[in-house]
Amino acid sequence: MKDFKDKVMFITGAAHGFGQVIAEEGARRGMKLAIVDIDEPALKETYKNVTDAGADAIMIAADVTKEDAVNDAVDQTMAKFNQIDLLINNAGIALPGRMWELPTRDWEWIMHINVMSQVYAMKRIIPIMLKQKTHAAILNVASIAGLVDTPGMPSYHASKFAAVGMTEATAYDLQRINADIEMHVMCPGFVQTDLYHTENHRPAQYSDPSDPYYSSEAYLKGQQFAKYVITNGKPIDTIADTVFKALENNDFYILTHPEYNPLISDRVNRIVNNGAPDVHVMDGIM
């Protein structure tokens, strides 16, 4: 995608982090915006920023773990703009916790937001893009955790591996029908975002404060770890430029942390050489 002016971006998770800076860069490039997030007060700030920059925008407060909410957001966008040119599936959460300790509701929450919200949006928006018969693009935000494996976050890895694989497979299907739709998957490392505030955005259907897990040492340590790695991550100020350059170049994989390439290489080598995960090797690389 080379030309962004007057194109319509539909972006989830737009109130914080990647979503906020990408939406704001889209506004600077003359895009029309549908910004979607569950956090309505914070979303209002993004809306103010993009409209102050001159963007024609619609703000939609929605819980994208629910298919009906995604469908309604798409309907509102089409009613206002009558087209969608760029879908950015950015909404997501991170939940540290070992397989045998993390509650089932947390598995459901992370899979619904990190994977199924992307499914819901693509199922609705790809047919719209095909009908438009204009050049379009889809960017699914995954993570370096969708390309490599590390200890302590199996639910996060499961969701991000799923997002990467789903994006790759969808790219094949669109190529098979000669669709003029680019596919991209973003796999960032740790960046200074709002991600360690995941608990602030937990919907009621995934909440049970009486569960002793949420006062356990394992839970508290996981929260502390998440805060540490994110607050000590890469500054966010380069991310929007990275994303738009990748869109302009039609780069499928969008990586932000070349220092993690040894982890990717290690995993690929293990696969082709009949290796296995080795925490000692991982500790040496990390």
Side-chain angles (χ1 to χ4, degrees), residues 26-240:
R28 285 190 285 270
R29 290 172 180 251
M31 300 193 77
K32 300 174 183 180
L33 304 171
I35 57 172
V36 184
D37 202 287
I38 195 173
D39 186 348
E40 186 170 10
L43 189 61
K44 289 179 179 178
E45 180 180 347
T46 302
Y47 181 78
K48 181 179 185 302
N49 292 346
V50 299
T51 53
D52 285 351
D56 187 2
I58 181 173
M59 180 186 80
I60 305 166
D63 176 1
V64 295
T65 66
K66 299 178 179 179
E67 187 171 14
D68 287 349
V70 175
N71 289 338
D72 180 66
V74 173
D75 290 342
Q76 290 186 53
T77 302
M78 292 299 291
K80 181 171 179 62
F81 297 121
N82 201 37
Q83 68 184 64
I84 297 173
D85 304 290
L86 174 60
L87 164 62
I88 298 188
N89 275 317
N90 169 69
I93 61 170
L95 294 173
R98 294 183 293 193
M99 168 64 71
W100 59 93
E101 295 173 335
L102 198 66
T104 300
R105 75 181 65 82
D106 284 28
W107 277 93
E108 293 171 344
W109 181 25
I110 200 168
M111 297 304 289
H112 290 168
I113 187 69
N114 289 3
V115 183
M116 293 309 299
S117 72
Q118 297 187 358
V119 172
Y120 302 148
M122 287 193 292
K123 277 178 64 66
R124 277 300 311 279
I125 291 174
I126 287 175
I128 290 170
M129 290 176 168
L130 292 172
K131 186 176 180 180
Q132 288 171 180
K133 297 184 179 179
T134 56
H135 185 65
I138 296 170
L139 189 158
N140 291 329
V141 176
S143 168
I144 191 68
L147 300 174
V148 302
D149 38 26
T150 59
M153 300 184 72
S155 66
Y156 190 64
H157 284 289
S159 68
K160 296 303 186 178
F161 269 76
V164 171
M166 177 174 63
T167 308
E168 292 172 342
T170 302
Y172 287 133
D173 288 336
L174 291 171
Q175 291 167 22
R176 276 259 169 90
I177 62 171
N178 296 313
D180 193 12
I181 302 174
E182 303 170 7
M183 292 297 298
H184 309 266
V185 63
M186 183 175 171
C187 298
F190 296 120
V191 178
Q192 293 171 10
T193 67
D194 184 67
L195 195 59
Y196 68 95
H197 286 132
T198 286
E199 287 295 339
N200 294 350
H201 315 301
R202 183 186 285 262
Q205 66 265 32
Y206 306 108
S207 180
D208 182 4
S210 68
D211 189 323
Y213 171 76
Y214 303 113
S215 59
S216 68
E217 182 179 2
Y219 173 79
L220 296 174
K221 283 185 175 180
Q223 295 299 304
Q224 292 167 359
F225 172 76
K227 181 177 181 179
Y228 174 80
V229 295
I230 293 169
T231 56
N232 287 279
K234 184 176 182 177
I236 198 171
D237 54 7
T238 63
I239 294 298

